Amino acid sequence: MKLTRRMTLAAFAGVLALGTAAPAFAADLIAIITPSHDNPFFKAEAVGAEAKAKELGYEALVLVHDDDANKQSQLIDTVIGRGAKAIILDNAGADATVAAVQKAKDAGIPSFLIDREINATGVAVAQIVSNNYQGAQLGAQEFVKLMGEKGNFVELVGKESDTNAGIRSKGYHDVIDDYPDLKMVAQQSANWSQTEAYSKMESILQANPDIKGVISGNDTMAMGAYAALAAANRKDVIVVGFDGSNDVRDSITSGGIKATVLQPAYAQAQMAVEQANDFIKNKKSPEKEKQLMDCVLINGDNAAKLETFALKN
Amino acid sequence: MLSKPTWPIKATWPILALVAGIGLSACKILPTPSAQGVAGNASGFNPDKMVEEIWASKVIPYLQEKAGPFAEVHALAKTDQAAAGAKYGNPKKQANSPWTFAVRFEGKIVAANTQSRAATMDIDVDGDGKADARVQIGPAMRGTALRDSLDFVQFNDFTNQIDFAQFGKAFNAYADKTVLSKLPREALEGRTAKVLGAYTIEGGQDLPLVTPAEAEIGPKP
């Protein structure tokens, strides 16, 4: 955190030194804050937002909060110190983030949320989120079909602090629970992590060798689970993920994982920057704060068209 | 549970507001933050009750007025989705959601899948012997077409996407409970069917998937 503080101080010093005489040609700054880029989904968001910001003539400050609400709060301080004109944020918790976004608002910096909702309206200017519930229903419907509406299955759930982990799980069960012959024999969180999913899957498989399918809250956990199943010579088990990553695309086209659900991460991040630009330049807020983007089912039929969280025509 | 006697009283306000068609933003109930950090039904949100209260008074009259004959709706939907959506659906829908259309038709059942819990029947509407639409007859149903066809239901009137989704599912559940579960399941092919419902344009569908709000099946031929 020392580095952050030093950056903040440096920024303050800069602001003090320049005062109102800042050169007119200095590009306005847009901050882009997401969870760790270890997950290619968040990286795609950051890359998409940064590209759009530069295209529109802004300087971009890309930061990661690692799903730590305290770190997120410190990053918001940094961004305030740097005098950013807008914040693009994939947040670190639906409740914890409200205060951080309010802090930015109080400092005159508008926030444009992507991917995850917060439990308040009127604080951020926009919340552009994937319709995770609709996406989960799509994934679950495909899973039910692949399972032939019966058999034992496992659910891998995401990180509890992330709203979308709960939303997806509810969406899955909204569909699956209509089929009494589908029996969930284990439900565990692997915290969105591939390695954790691998080890959890290994032990679940030992206790439940008779499973027919695994439905996973995201693609990295689906990759981990499938690797564990393959290592145990159980490639027959049906695995379905969520996100639409290139890794899972490649697994689908080579006959491994059966399906995933695409969230338009790249387009969503770009849309947020466009709305920020409209707000900065024209003082115009989007018509609706909460904006849903529908997800798309990816399976053997269309996986080949998937590239970096976008479907090509 | 003893500490929560006030919830049902509070919960009637958004319902009344919805029935009266008053903008909901002024009386939105924010959920109590739950231990899981997931916004859910902590506010006493009761989608089934909300749907039950508007079904006969608003939903059916709306669909009866808005629905177009299948051939007309589908022809326009294929050429100009936005025009079809404005005419037969909700022009104020979320910009990135697909269009949904209210539709009515009568035709002959040419195929049925009652083995699946997501049972369907395929209807020939234009009399050429080929199926034109696939009608969901439950008990499991896909999508939220009924909700999405209504111009008085907007996502921004809900606390979050969970509430919005469960409201959508409540329409399907209500249709199943009051209409679809009473339909015959045996020897459907060759019978006539009459449907008032809605469908959403989606990629990768071989037939438009219609969710009925009203459905009748004629006697065996």
Side-chain angles (χ1 to χ4, degrees), chain A residues 125-137:
Chain A
V125 175
Q127 301 190 44
I128 311 172
V129 298
S130 298
N131 195 339
N132 281 276
Y133 206 103
Q134 169 263 353
Q137 289 174 321

Side-chain angles (χ1 to χ4, degrees), chain A residues 161-242:
Chain A
S161 65
D162 182 341
T163 322
N164 289 338
I167 293 177
R168 289 177 198 170
S169 182
K170 279 194 178 215
Y172 285 158
H173 284 280
D174 198 18
V175 171
I176 294 172
D177 294 354
D178 278 344
Y179 298 84
D181 294 336
L182 282 168
K183 294 212 164 39
M184 184 166 72
V185 293
Q187 180 186 43
Q188 287 192 30
S189 173
N191 291 307
W192 301 136
S193 155
Q194 191 160 340
T195 47
E196 201 172 327
Y198 187 98
S199 56
K200 290 255 161 88
M201 195 68 238
E202 270 186 324
S203 49
I204 291 170
L205 193 57
Q206 273 170 7
N208 308 278
D210 57 343
I211 56 166
K212 193 169 152 193
V214 177
I215 192 157
S216 166
N218 82 342
D219 277 355
T220 46
M221 295 191 297
M223 290 296 289
Y226 188 74
L229 290 163
N233 223 355
R234 287 299 307 275
K235 287 187 176 178
D236 59 298
V237 176
I238 293 153
V239 179
V240 169
F242 198 113

Side-chain angles (χ1 to χ4, degrees), chain B residues 25-44:
Chain B
S25 52
C27 42
K28 193 172 290 175
I29 296 178
L30 293 174
T32 314
S34 61
Q36 293 81 26
V38 173
N41 293 329
S43 61

Side-chain angles (χ1 to χ4, degrees), chain B residues 89-158:
Chain B
N90 175 11
K92 292 173 282 182
K93 73 167 181 68
Q94 288 281 311
N96 296 292
S97 304
W99 287 102
T100 300
F101 319 104
V103 72
R104 69 168 86 237
F105 53 86
E106 203 170 343
K108 196 174 185 182
I109 304 170
V110 290
N113 173 8
T114 50
Q115 298 304 306
S116 168
R117 280 184 63 80
T120 56
M121 52 186 190
D122 293 354
I123 314 283
D124 168 25
V125 181
D126 57 15
D128 67 354
K130 281 183 277 189
D132 299 296
R134 182 163 289 164
V135 178
Q136 309 202 75
I137 51 174
M141 274 187 278
R142 296 180 176 210
T144 49
L146 291 176
R147 178 198 70 190
D148 296 338
S149 70
L150 305 173
D151 67 4
F152 53 88
V153 173
Q154 311 299 340
F155 170 58
N156 272 262
D157 296 336
F158 292 81

Side-chain angles (χ1 to χ4, degrees), chain A residues 36-288:
Chain A
S36 163
H37 294 185
D38 288 351
N39 183 334
F41 179 82
F42 301 122
K43 187 170 181 197
E45 286 180 342
V47 170
E50 189 179 12
K52 180 56 80 179
K54 287 187 170 156
E55 182 191 318
L56 293 169
Y58 293 92
E59 190 193 330
L61 175 65
V62 177
L63 302 164
V64 293
H65 56 57
D66 294 327
D67 282 299
D68 174 345
N70 290 325
K71 188 172 178 194
Q72 173 177 268
S73 178
Q74 287 163 349
L75 294 175
I76 297 284
D77 289 337
T78 305
V79 167
I80 293 170
R82 290 279 302 268
K85 289 288 184 285
I87 300 169
I88 310 297
L89 175 65
D90 188 346
N91 74 78
D95 292 317
T97 302
V98 177
V101 172
Q102 182 68 51
K103 183 165 66 177
K105 189 187 179 189
D106 292 344
I109 305 175
S111 296
F112 298 80
L113 272 47
I114 51 174
D115 181 35
R116 301 172 182 172
E117 287 173 85
I118 55 170
N119 287 333
T121 50
V123 186
V125 175
Q127 301 190 44
I128 311 172
V129 298
S130 298
N131 195 339
N132 281 276
Y133 206 103
Q134 169 263 353
Q137 289 174 321
L138 288 181
Q141 281 158 4
E142 184 74 359
F143 185 71
V144 166
K145 206 163 96 183
L146 289 161
M147 294 283 287
E149 303 188 4
K150 58 177 185 284
N152 292 343
F153 74 97
V154 173
E155 183 191 0
L156 292 176
V157 188
K159 196 188 278 279
E160 232 175 55
S161 65
D162 182 341
T163 322
N164 289 338
I167 293 177
R168 289 177 198 170
S169 182
K170 279 194 178 215
Y172 285 158
H173 284 280
D174 198 18
V175 171
I176 294 172
D177 294 354
D178 278 344
Y179 298 84
D181 294 336
L182 282 168
K183 294 212 164 39
M184 184 166 72
V185 293
Q187 180 186 43
Q188 287 192 30
S189 173
N191 291 307
W192 301 136
S193 155
Q194 191 160 340
T195 47
E196 201 172 327
Y198 187 98
S199 56
K200 290 255 161 88
M201 195 68 238
E202 270 186 324
S203 49
I204 291 170
L205 193 57
Q206 273 170 7
N208 308 278
D210 57 343
I211 56 166
K212 193 169 152 193
V214 177
I215 192 157
S216 166
N218 82 342
D219 277 355
T220 46
M221 295 191 297
M223 290 296 289
Y226 188 74
L229 290 163
N233 223 355
R234 287 299 307 275
K235 287 187 176 178
D236 59 298
V237 176
I238 293 153
V239 179
V240 169
F242 198 113
D243 278 344
S245 71
N246 287 358
D247 286 344
V248 165
R249 171 201 64 192
D250 295 343
S251 181
I252 291 173
T253 51
S254 62
I257 290 171
K258 293 290 180 290
T260 183
V261 179
L262 168 68
Q263 296 195 74
Y266 193 87
Q268 195 170 91
Q270 295 217 317
M271 197 162 120
V273 175
E274 281 166 9
Q275 293 186 6
N277 178 54
D278 212 25
F279 189 86
I280 294 165
K281 292 198 176 129
N282 309 321
K283 294 273 162 268
K284 202 167 153 265
S285 300
E287 196 181 323
K288 291 166 185 159

